[in-house]
Amino acid sequence: MIGRQRERAAIAEALAPSAPVASLLLLGEPGVGKTTLLDSAADTASAAGATVLRVRGSAAETELAFAGLHQLLLPVLDRAEGLPVRQRAALLSAFGLGDDNPAPPDLMMMSLAVLTLASQLASARQLLLVVDDVQWLDHGSCQVLGFLARRLAGEPIGLLLAARGTRRPDWLDRSVPELLVPSLPPAEAEELLSTQPDAPAGPARRRILETAAGNPLALVELARQAARDGGLPATGHVPVTDLLERTFAAQVDELPAASRGALLLAAAAEGAGLADVMAALPPGTDVEVWRPAEQAGLIRLHPDRIDFRHPLVRSAIYGAAPFAERRRAHLALAAALRGDPDRRAWQLSAATVAPDASVAGALEETALRAVARGAMAEAVAGLERAAQLGTDPADRVRRLATAAYASVLAGDLGQAEAFAAPALEANRDPMTEGWICGLSSLVAMLTLRLERAFALVDSDGLMHPAAIGAGVSTIATGVAYHSGSPAQRARLRALLERRDTQDIASHPFHLWDLGVTDPFLHGASIRHVLPAVAAAPGRLPTELHTLGVLCLVLDETETAVSLLGELVNPQWEDADAFHAGMTAADLAWANVDGGRWADARLGVERLAVRFLDGEHTLGSVRALTVLATLHALTGEPGTALRHAAAALAVTEPAGALGTVVRARRAAGLAATALGDHAAAHRHLRGVFDAAGHPLHHHLSCYAVADLAAAAVLTGHADEARTVLARVGAEVGDGASARLRQTLDRAAALLADPTDAGRLFLAALADPTGRRWPFERAQVWLEYGEWLRRQRRIADAREALTRAREIFDGLGAVHWSARAEAELRAAGVTVAQGRPSALRSLTPQRQRIVRLAAQGLTNREIGERLFLSPRTVGTHLYQAFPALGVSSRSQLRDVVEQDAAAGL
């Protein structure tokens, strides 16, 4: 290798045992030498006794779920027998090696299986995973590798990746360092060129150096071309990529016809094993057919596969062949792949030019299997192609609509709309019209076109039981909830009153329709049946999401976290893309309500950044309001105000009143933290209309106590009493324990001082209120302030101390400081407050400590959190000093003390 000393040293340093996380990502243009660097690192590791597993992304297998992972693990797949049963089943199922009728593989369990397998291999000797051409790796493999990359700390596992271009993959954690492999400097480019056989000189040499621009692959290939052709054109700009493609094609032309045909088959197969390619060749062909291509340096043959020297070789071979030859190659491969229906369907698709119902059907079945595996990118591509090849208009509509829905789940709303629009236009079946309209409505809602979204589903038919099962009415009620439109809500009420509730009363979608339309009227009855409905096995992801958000709306916060957490794991890369970010935002709000602020922030940070980068969707703007709220609560009010203003600038014109209320409340909390009570009152007053009615029939009600606090400080108490009365009329007798606590707090703040104590005690009477720690602490704080003004100093000290302990544990900086000031005024010498030792740990480490305190072993904790036992042990070892403990047996006391401080 010439001119790569710096890069080789960087790789050695990154993969050294002393590195915090032994990983590195190589970036650079095609042909710059990334693969050569990977080869060098792999050879060095092998020579040192390490186990090396390799995979190279394939453009043809990008849409085949877990194809890359299968290639990576194939040499050690026999070790899967030693995995725990659920992990082994998930892994083998994803590779089609499990039972004849396997359940859809659990991606999280599969990821854990790969982590466990890698950890077991690394326990014997160091393991190096080498991943080339990451940009062509299938989405499922990327998710698993992203999962693995975040769990290398403490493991003797190295991860070395290479990708084209200068942009790191979105799924790869930022903790993985990157190294840009540049083109060679002029002196080193000349040195490399000089080492080539029959190295050119004079004008041809200068032309090669100018055209190659330091690209090592181009230098080598152009030197060969020049040596064969006697030079290169002296003038005219020749793009490097085009020239390389032509060079590779010219080399193929010199091979025997049989070898050219074999290469075309291999290029068309892209990732199929050597045995499959050999089976597609003419009868009697043996492995000698590859020798001329190997001698030409185009391929490298292995017992189980064929590696092209560079992806450009493959693309040149395939692109240079006439379509008729490519088609024959695909048909031959399809015949050889009868035992692999997914690959066979794609080969038939590539060979088909006219509508073909059988091919379209096979491709649709492949796509639906991909949906079951969670491989949405493959599913979307297959359904789109099946729609193109189908002969029945109804089949085309179904496939386009299904592709649109898969795109929504994958978070690609532009693609979803591109599929949904022609499906809606072409549909002629009244039985499916409602579902397609509902799908189009969902896309419109997620892209902040709420009026159009409701118009698409505003029909009497959406209340029909069949529509309920398809989720059409659920979309309508969801649109009305997010818009907060009184007219839409009134329309839904009228439709719901005519619904026959027989046999559907406990359906998640029916409960949702009732709960979000009238949460205070139906909340109590729904809460009564929710535990049984939520615990029912076999719930679809859409049902889990619906139930989770319904629990959020009805203040069943812990259940909401549990249900939504099944869909969104904050440790996952790209988890926030599910359902266009709506699930991630909902889970974050549940975590905010329940006091898990670190988890909430972790779940929405990337999604909020997407909004700030210009991706204005309902999911991303809701994520930004979560972040704004957290900034306001944890001591960054300036940032909170900026985020709230950015959210309002988008949501107010769109009429997304649910998010408008969230953003205004975040701004009110931020102004309170800054001590600007006039601004706080202005922001919070905007959560209600001019007459004092809730701007949003549900979410506005939770801001009434914060408004009351600001109103008392700014001389608007009478107006706030009017608002409280309007809220009381809206809520009636349907307040949850949380909302009742809020209403009693507001009443206490606005009451005559002689009555306030009774109302504060009413707010604190229900122990259930502890589930919402920040709001509970606000009551303790204001009760303590009232007690001090009544000169009940001892009682005031107790209340204020409780408030301060909760605020400290949460990290609510402004409110903690306010409690400290009140304690000093009550004659208490207050030491500098700090968060509890447990809550100072990262969210992941907190979860590990809490599970260890329950007596779970490292393996059991790893099963729950999808970590290896070794990584769990590392986290505990590092947490002990921060917690001031020296053994596991002391963790229970730490957790119990933290819980007591939060009461």
Side-chain angles (χ1 to χ4, degrees):
M1 253 187 291
I2 294 173
R4 293 303 184 205
Q5 292 82 358
R6 181 183 70 88
E7 287 77 13
R8 295 178 72 184
I11 292 173
E13 180 180 357
L15 298 180
S18 59
V21 179
S23 58
L24 184 65
L25 168 67
L26 304 183
L27 296 171
E29 66 179 273
V32 80
K34 302 183 296 298
T35 299
T36 304
L37 288 167
L38 296 183
D39 290 340
S40 173
D43 291 342
T44 300
S46 294
T51 299
V52 179
L53 299 178
R54 301 192 64 165
V55 60
R56 188 169 196 167
S58 167
E61 296 198 350
T62 300
E63 307 298 340
L64 291 178
F66 307 117
L69 196 64
H70 182 265
Q71 184 185 147
L72 179 71
L73 298 180
L74 188 61
V76 295
L77 207 52
D78 58 322
R79 299 285 294 272
E81 292 301 319
L83 294 175
V85 174
R86 291 176 61 202
Q87 296 181 25
R88 182 176 67 250
L91 186 65
L92 296 180
S93 175
F95 295 158
L97 301 175
D99 299 331
D100 290 337
N101 296 300
D106 183 331
L107 182 58
M108 289 294 289
M109 191 56 61
M110 180 184 174
S111 300
L112 182 58
V114 175
L115 176 62
T116 304
L117 180 60
S119 185
Q120 289 175 354
L121 292 169
S123 65
R125 54 178 178 166
Q126 192 166 5
L127 175 66
L128 177 62
L129 306 176
V130 181
V131 186
D132 201 1
D133 284 330
V134 163
Q135 73 281 351
W136 287 328
L137 212 59
D138 64 273
H139 184 64
S141 297
C142 290
Q143 286 185 293
V144 175
L145 287 172
F147 177 97
L148 188 66
R150 291 186 292 278
R151 289 159 174 79
L152 295 179
E155 297 275 1
I157 302 173
L159 178 62
L160 189 57
L161 311 101
R164 284 188 175 186
T166 58
R167 182 177 180 274
R168 69 185 292 126
D170 292 338
W171 54 266
L172 187 62
D173 194 82
R174 289 288 173 183
S175 64
V176 176
E178 64 184 50
L179 174 67
L180 180 63
V181 181
S183 299
L184 293 174
E188 292 168 345
E190 288 217 21
E191 182 181 356
L192 176 59
L193 187 58
S194 297
T195 65
Q196 302 307 304
D198 300 322
R205 183 182 185 87
R206 291 194 297 272
R207 181 59 171 157
I208 290 174
L209 291 169
E210 178 187 36
T211 303
N215 183 291
L217 182 61
L219 287 165
V220 171
E221 295 303 328
L222 292 175
R224 290 178 180 174
Q225 173 92 0
R228 186 181 66 244
D229 296 343
L232 294 175
T235 60
H237 173 71
V238 181
V240 171
T241 301
D242 291 346
L243 180 56
L244 288 173
E245 293 254 5
R246 288 199 297 273
T247 300
F248 296 143
Q251 289 178 280
V252 174
D253 289 342
E254 297 176 353
L255 299 177
S259 297
R260 292 200 306 270
L263 281 177
L264 177 57
L265 271 171
E270 284 202 62
L274 177 60
D276 291 327
V277 176
M278 292 297 298
L281 289 169
T285 304
D286 60 28
V287 293
E288 287 298 311
V289 74
W290 305 106
R291 183 183 295 275
E294 279 194 291
Q295 292 175 336
L298 293 170
I299 61 168
R300 180 179 296 174
L301 210 62
H302 300 274
D304 60 341
R305 70 185 190 278
I306 305 165
D307 285 344
F308 284 85
R309 186 180 71 230
H310 189 278
L312 288 175
V313 175
R314 183 192 300 275
S315 62
I317 292 169
Y318 187 82
F323 175 77
E325 293 182 15
R326 296 201 303 267
R327 184 173 184 274
R328 282 196 294 272
H330 287 300
L331 290 173
L333 286 164
L337 291 167
R338 292 189 181 279
D340 187 341
D342 290 345
R343 280 199 172 97
R344 181 173 185 271
W346 282 105
Q347 291 293 336
L348 288 172
S349 168
T352 304
V353 294
D356 188 311
S358 64
V359 175
L363 204 53
E364 182 179 14
E365 291 175 4
T366 291
L368 294 178
R369 285 192 290 270
V371 171
R373 296 194 305 271
M376 295 302 170
E378 178 187 344
V380 170
L383 289 163
E384 180 182 18
R385 181 62 173 149
Q388 294 170 351
L389 294 177
T391 56
D392 185 341
D395 288 341
R396 180 175 183 273
V397 168
R398 183 187 66 251
R399 289 160 183 163
L400 287 174
T402 309
Y405 183 62
S407 299
V408 169
L409 295 183
D412 191 338
L413 298 181
Q415 183 174 249
E417 189 161 26
F419 291 133
L424 184 60
E425 181 180 351
N427 182 58
R428 298 294 181 268
D429 184 357
M431 297 299 293
T432 60
E433 183 177 357
W435 185 77
I436 298 174
C437 284
L439 177 61
S440 300
S441 173
L442 178 62
V443 174
M445 181 189 77
L446 295 174
T447 51
L448 292 165
R449 294 170 294 161
L450 281 85
E451 287 189 12
R452 170 170 171 73
F454 193 79
L456 283 165
V457 287
D458 183 9
S459 69
D460 291 354
L462 63 84
M463 291 298 122
H464 189 275
I468 295 167
V472 181
S473 62
T474 305
I475 295 169
T477 48
V479 171
Y481 183 82
H482 286 292
S483 75
S485 166
Q488 292 177 8
R489 186 173 172 228
R491 169 67 172 155
L492 285 171
R493 279 173 155 175
L495 291 171
L496 286 168
E497 287 175 359
R498 304 207 307 263
R499 174 184 281 174
D500 181 2
T501 59
Q502 214 169 20
D503 298 327
I504 58 172
S506 62
H507 194 290
F509 295 165
H510 175 64
L511 296 179
W512 163 270
D513 291 341
L514 295 174
V516 301
T517 303
D518 279 300
F520 307 127
L521 178 63
H522 299 293
S525 60
I526 294 175
R527 289 188 195 95
H528 181 70
V529 301
L530 257 182
V533 177
R539 290 292 184 199
L540 297 172
T542 49
E543 293 177 340
L544 287 176
H545 177 260
T546 299
L547 287 169
V549 182
L550 179 59
C551 289
L552 175 64
V553 170
L554 298 181
D555 293 324
E556 295 297 316
T557 307
E558 295 300 320
T559 307
V561 171
S562 175
L563 292 172
L564 295 171
E566 292 186 41
L567 300 172
V568 177
N569 186 319
Q571 303 295 331
W572 267 18
E573 198 71 27
D574 293 331
D576 51 26
F578 179 77
H579 203 180
M582 296 292 281
T583 307
D586 290 323
L587 176 59
W589 278 122
N591 279 323
V592 169
D593 293 343
R596 299 178 183 85
W597 292 356
D599 286 348
R601 184 188 295 259
L602 184 65
V604 295
E605 278 184 325
R606 288 191 341 118
L607 193 56
V609 168
R610 292 180 186 176
F611 177 88
L612 296 173
D613 287 343
E615 185 181 306
H616 293 173
T617 66
L618 185 56
S620 66
V621 73
R622 293 179 72 229
L624 189 67
T625 59
V626 174
L627 206 55
T629 302
L630 291 169
H631 282 309
L633 294 171
T634 57
E636 301 175 82
T639 303
L641 287 171
R642 289 193 296 273
H643 285 345
L648 289 169
V650 171
T651 54
E652 285 184 323
L657 293 184
T659 309
V660 167
V661 167
R662 296 277 201 186
R664 288 182 182 171
R665 191 176 181 195
L669 291 168
T672 299
L674 290 169
D676 188 349
H677 300 297
H681 178 266
R682 184 176 67 254
H683 292 305
L684 292 165
R685 184 62 182 83
V687 174
F688 305 90
D689 68 16
H693 296 285
L695 189 67
H696 186 279
H697 66 279
H698 175 246
L699 292 173
S700 291
C701 300
Y702 292 83
V704 68
D706 291 332
L707 172 64
V712 168
L713 294 171
T714 56
H716 296 91
D718 287 340
E719 184 184 42
R721 292 186 186 99
T722 300
V723 172
L724 179 58
R726 301 282 193 269
V727 170
E730 177 71 35
V731 174
D733 296 327
S736 64
R738 176 191 177 192
L739 186 53
R740 176 51 53 196
Q741 178 176 261
T742 297
L743 295 173
D744 287 339
R745 175 191 164 212
L749 290 168
L750 296 170
D752 184 273
T754 58
D755 296 327
R758 173 181 57 82
L759 292 166
F760 277 125
L761 288 175
L764 295 167
D766 188 346
T768 307
R770 298 171 183 173
R771 297 177 184 173
W772 304 277
F774 177 73
E775 294 165 10
R776 188 71 159 190
Q778 285 180 297
V779 182
W780 280 118
L781 172 62
E782 289 156 350
Y783 181 42
E785 291 173 334
W786 178 83
L787 288 167
R788 190 179 67 80
R789 290 193 297 271
Q790 300 301 307
R791 301 187 182 280
R792 294 168 55 182
I793 301 303
D795 291 338
R797 290 171 180 170
E798 180 183 354
L800 293 168
T801 298
R802 289 199 181 197
R804 177 176 177 259
E805 288 173 346
I806 299 173
F807 289 139
D808 279 352
L810 291 171
V813 176
H814 162 75
W815 286 266
S816 182
R818 181 172 148 193
E820 288 181 10
E822 286 289 330
L823 281 167
R824 291 191 183 95
V828 177
T829 301
V830 181
Q832 182 65 36
R834 68 179 182 85
S836 70
L838 178 59
R839 299 196 185 203
S840 69
L841 302 177
T842 63
Q844 183 185 61
R845 200 161 286 174
Q846 287 185 44
R847 287 191 286 272
I848 291 172
V849 168
R850 293 181 189 278
L851 291 172
Q854 296 173 21
L856 274 69
T857 66
N858 287 4
R859 174 174 287 278
E860 290 169 335
I861 295 171
E863 287 276 359
R864 291 199 183 188
L865 301 184
F866 309 102
L867 300 168
S868 74
R870 184 195 303 272
T871 300
V872 171
T874 299
H875 278 293
L876 286 173
Y877 177 78
Q878 294 172 349
F880 280 7
L883 298 174
V885 302
S886 56
S887 69
R888 273 178 112 93
S889 62
Q890 297 172 282
L891 294 178
R892 183 185 295 275
D893 292 338
V894 171
V895 173
E896 289 178 351
Q897 290 168 8
D898 178 78
L903 298 181

